[in-house]
Amino acid sequence: MEVRTSVKQNSTLWDWHILCESQTGDSHLRRNVVNQDYVAQGKCPHPIIVAIADGHGSPRSFRSNVGARLAVEAALATLADFAAETADEPILNLIHDAARQRLPRRLIQHWLGAVQDWHNSQPVTESEWESLEQATNSETRRLLQVACAENDQKSWLILYGSTILATLITDAFALYLQLGDGEIVVISGEEEIPRSPLPEDGSLIANETTSLCLPDCSQYMRVGFSVLHSEPPRLVLLSTDGYPNSFQSRDGFLKVATDLLQMLREEGREVVAQGLPGWLREASEKGSGDDVSLAIVYRANAAVEKPEVERERIASSTQDAEIRPAPFLLLPWIFI
């Protein structure tokens, strides 16, 4: 599946634009494997909501492309509900606390329900079981078949395993969620230095990642929260890991965010939108070989003065904050 969107979004204060692009990885094209990534944006023009997911694509996760799509849909719906619930809350500290305490579990419960419904309506076919056995062994097939027959969700969720990254941007705050690998990069301020809005997760090594299919996975979800004191980010970039893994260094990947912002300013949205498919295909061909997906949220206009109600909200808030995840338990990883 290829997703291409270029949509202008207008908040009540700033002029937002969103670009989304997903390209099937070079290795998947050679093996005739469908794209395991999914990326989409919220339906309403305000607030800004974007989500991106990467299905594991391993033999045991043979329905992870569905898991990724359902993860993005769950994130968009959960963040839209959260934005509506907190729209009239004047104290940003309380929104910050609510995001940390409620959002991870809500999003995951939404995904679990959607996956269960889809699984019930689309039983695993014999051809899928045969493909699994050919790729692994008869014992793996037997165990997963038993789990499906007994509706042991904790055991068969691996079929739909996926990561999730998402952002919500309102006039008063920006919120970032991430479970598993991939990257969220933000450019803001006069210096325009690309940075991560989330605490670093040094435990994501090689092909190991936390996942929505893990038990109690809400404790592994990272949450970032930033109060928009004077102006929002100039650019937010969300990417599945196939893109940063195509670069020799993290600095090389981060430079992409800076280059994209410069191109958007100097050459315009249409030029970047037209170039994205080719750039992502080339990254996969010459780099990771994996599916490559990117979501770009950028602000086209300079900040304008906030209405009085917004200034009061911000005055009552704390400084920019990041939520650190709970300590990691032993062996919480999915090897993809």
Side-chain angles (χ1 to χ4, degrees):
M1 179 198 70
E2 294 185 0
V3 177
R4 299 182 186 179
T5 62
S6 176
V7 179
K8 179 178 178 180
Q9 303 272 353
N10 289 298
S11 79
T12 57
L13 298 178
W14 295 290
D15 184 18
W16 290 104
H17 299 259
I18 300 174
L19 296 172
C20 296
E21 177 65 35
S22 183
Q23 290 288 316
T24 304
D26 186 59
S27 64
H28 284 181
L29 289 173
R30 292 197 302 268
R31 294 184 287 121
N32 198 30
V33 176
V34 299
N35 192 338
Q36 303 297 306
D37 289 357
Y38 197 82
V39 55
Q41 63 190 67
K43 295 180 180 179
C44 297
H46 182 69
I48 304 301
I49 306 175
V50 181
I52 193 167
D54 182 359
H56 299 330
S58 63
R60 290 188 302 161
S61 299
F62 55 83
R63 288 185 164 186
S64 65
N65 61 313
V66 176
R69 174 176 61 81
L70 295 177
V72 167
E73 292 173 356
L76 296 180
T78 302
L79 288 176
D81 288 346
F82 183 79
E85 292 169 4
T86 58
D88 297 325
E89 174 54 61
I91 303 177
L92 296 186
N93 294 29
L94 298 182
I95 299 178
H96 180 177
D97 291 342
R100 177 188 58 192
Q101 296 167 9
R102 303 197 318 241
L103 274 181
R105 193 168 298 278
R106 272 193 183 184
L107 191 160
I108 291 160
Q109 289 300 319
H110 192 134
W111 181 77
L112 290 173
V115 169
Q116 182 71 66
D117 290 344
W118 203 93
H119 187 74
N120 291 343
S121 66
Q122 304 288 334
V124 180
T125 65
E126 180 62 24
S127 63
E128 287 178 306
W129 289 127
E130 290 176 356
S131 297
L132 173 65
E133 184 172 351
Q134 292 173 5
T136 56
N137 52 59
S138 59
E139 180 63 9
T140 298
R141 170 178 174 166
R142 185 189 70 81
L143 290 173
L144 283 173
Q145 275 192 296
V146 169
C148 289
E150 297 178 351
N151 197 24
D152 179 5
Q153 190 187 62
K154 289 184 178 180
S155 296
W156 60 250
L157 270 179
I158 183 65
L159 273 61
Y160 302 89
S162 176
T163 64
I164 185 65
L165 303 88
T167 185
L168 163 66
I169 304 175
T170 74
D171 291 337
F173 66 88
L175 176 64
Y176 309 94
L177 298 175
Q178 180 169 351
L179 175 64
D181 51 25
E183 291 279 355
I184 301 179
V185 177
V186 174
I187 294 180
S188 59
E190 293 299 325
E191 295 181 353
E192 297 192 348
I193 298 174
R195 65 176 182 84
S196 171
L198 295 163
E200 183 178 355
D201 184 357
S203 299
L204 298 177
I205 302 172
N207 285 334
E208 293 181 344
T209 182
T210 47
S211 168
L212 285 164
C213 68
L214 290 170
D216 301 321
C217 62
S218 61
Q219 64 187 303
Y220 310 122
M221 187 174 290
R222 290 176 284 163
V223 181
F225 187 91
S226 294
V227 176
L228 306 183
H229 294 287
S230 58
E231 60 178 315
R234 300 175 185 229
L235 179 141
V236 178
L237 184 149
L238 293 83
S239 172
T240 55
D241 70 324
Y243 198 38
N245 288 348
S246 297
F247 293 82
Q248 293 184 350
S249 68
R250 176 169 170 76
D251 287 342
F253 167 69
L254 291 177
K255 189 176 184 299
V256 169
T258 304
D259 291 344
L260 283 171
L261 181 57
Q262 183 176 351
M263 286 188 66
L264 287 164
R265 285 171 171 167
E266 297 178 357
E267 302 184 41
R269 179 181 59 174
E270 295 305 319
V271 171
V272 174
Q274 292 172 11
L276 274 178
W279 300 336
L280 298 191
R281 282 196 301 269
E282 183 179 13
S284 181
E285 291 169 1
K286 296 182 178 180
S288 67
D290 196 3
D291 300 328
V292 178
S293 299
L294 200 64
I296 304 167
V297 182
Y298 74 99
R299 179 168 54 87
N301 64 332
V304 297
E305 186 176 2
K306 287 177 174 289
E308 186 64 31
V309 63
E310 294 300 327
R311 291 200 296 269
E312 291 177 357
R313 289 184 91 195
I314 290 172
S316 64
S317 68
T318 57
Q319 298 295 316
D320 291 4
E322 294 178 345
I323 311 300
R324 295 198 173 272
F328 285 87
L329 304 180
L330 294 177
L331 303 178
W333 314 115
I334 296 295
F335 187 78
I336 59 175

